[in-house]
Every structure is written in structure tokens, then in C-alpha cells.
Amino acid sequence: METTSPPHVRRSADAGRPRWPRTAALLGAGAVLTALLLPVWPALRLSDGGDTMGHLRLAGGEPFTVSYVHSIDGLPIEENLLVRDGRLVVDSTRVRQFGAGMGHIPGEGTGRADGEWWVVEGMERDIGTELTIRVGAPAVDHRIRTPGAEVRLSPCLAAHPVRVEPVLLPTLLLPLATVPEPEC
């Protein structure tokens, strides 16, 4: 026996067909959009007076360096930091000689000579969720380095407070995450 619909009931073209292909496509599109918007790529946001200057991308576990010239002895200093669970941790310091406020603090890492440098490693000093650098004069030469980029702060931002904070960027924003170039 054949069944027919009453004349006033319209049957859609896909009646009787499973709806899973359309549902799967919508779910797939939703998953792709979520993946593009989900913040998963580690980076450092640099801000000057609250205005974001840009981002420096980091690979997971990759260190970054804050370097400058000591204001009293005129010798370079490098502080290597890591991002752990959204917090900044000083991992090691490299100095040419012990200047005022520099050197090995007993119980914080281990020190060793490395050519002309004195290196203190394994410091594990948690400094919080952000670092504010009061940028020194051009002679101080404040810089922030990642393995993929370097930002020179002193030439244009002397006496400015520059905030460095770890962030996670969504995939969609990665092409827009430019290396900060301070404007003079």
C-alpha cells in the first residue's frame, strides 16, 4: 500500500534524508571558528602607558631576555625570564661584574663563570603576572629579546614605564601580532 501526503502538506526535497551532513558541517565550522578564536599561542604584550605597542610571540617554555647597561658601572646585564602558568619567572642572570644590586643571592640558583660573564642559573624567582620596566636613557639601552625578535626601548621610550605581560593569542590574531616598534 502506497502512502501519499494530503495535498495541503508540502514535502521538502530532503524529507526522509538524514540531516547529519548539514549538522556535521555546522559542527565542523563551529569547531574551526572556536579553534581560530581560542587563545592558545603564548606571547608577550608590551604596553606603554596602557596602550598596547604590540606582541612578541614565544614558543611554550621559550625564554625571553631583558637586557640593559648598568647605570653605574656601564657594563651589560641580561636577565632571562620564562612564562610559567601565566606568571613571569626569572630563570637566570648574566653580568660582566658585580655592580650595585647585582650578583648571586645565597639560596637563589647557582653561580658560575662563563668567559667574561658571571652567570647565575636556576634562580626560579617568581616576579608575578607582569613586569614594569622604567626605561632608561639611550645609554642604558633597554631591550627585550625573544629568539625571534628584539625590541629596543631606550631610543624612544626613555623614562616611560613599559609593561611586559604574558598573554595567549588566538590563532586568528597571530597575523596581526606585530613586533612592537616604539615610535619616537
Side-chain angles (χ1 to χ4, degrees):
M1 175 168 162
E2 187 175 318
T3 61
T4 58
S5 298
H8 65 283
V9 176
R10 294 177 65 200
R11 291 181 54 104
S12 69
D14 60 339
R17 291 187 199 159
R19 294 189 181 270
W20 65 267
R22 188 177 350 179
T23 303
L26 288 174
L27 288 174
V32 168
L33 186 59
T34 299
L36 289 173
L37 296 175
L38 191 67
V40 294
W41 300 102
L44 298 172
R45 177 175 37 229
L46 274 59
S47 305
D48 173 22
D51 296 327
T52 298
M53 295 187 307
H55 296 84
L56 293 170
R57 290 181 52 191
L58 290 173
E62 192 171 60
F64 69 96
T65 302
V66 176
S67 67
Y68 52 98
V69 174
H70 196 283
S71 61
I72 295 173
D73 62 27
L75 294 173
I77 297 166
E78 296 178 346
E79 297 185 81
N80 299 306
L81 294 94
L82 300 167
V83 176
R84 289 204 185 113
D85 299 322
R87 300 184 64 81
L88 298 171
V89 178
V90 178
D91 180 58
S92 65
T93 300
R94 292 169 37 96
V95 297
R96 285 287 177 89
Q97 73 178 23
F98 295 121
M102 303 310 303
H104 183 217
I105 298 171
E108 248 187 52
T110 56
R112 65 177 175 80
D114 182 14
E116 295 181 347
W117 293 87
W118 179 256
V119 179
V120 180
E121 298 173 311
M123 295 173 66
E124 299 296 318
R125 184 187 303 159
D126 184 325
I127 60 171
T129 57
E130 66 181 45
L131 167 66
T132 300
I133 300 169
R134 186 175 188 284
V135 178
V140 175
D141 197 22
H142 267 110
R143 299 171 187 232
I144 298 175
R145 275 193 322 265
T146 64
E150 179 177 75
V151 178
R152 296 186 64 206
L153 301 173
S154 291
C156 298
L157 298 172
H160 286 236
V162 171
R163 188 172 64 220
V164 180
E165 55 190 322
V167 294
L168 294 175
L169 295 176
T171 302
L172 195 58
L173 293 182
L174 285 179
L176 304 175
T178 59
V179 172
E181 294 183 24
E183 293 183 24
C184 296

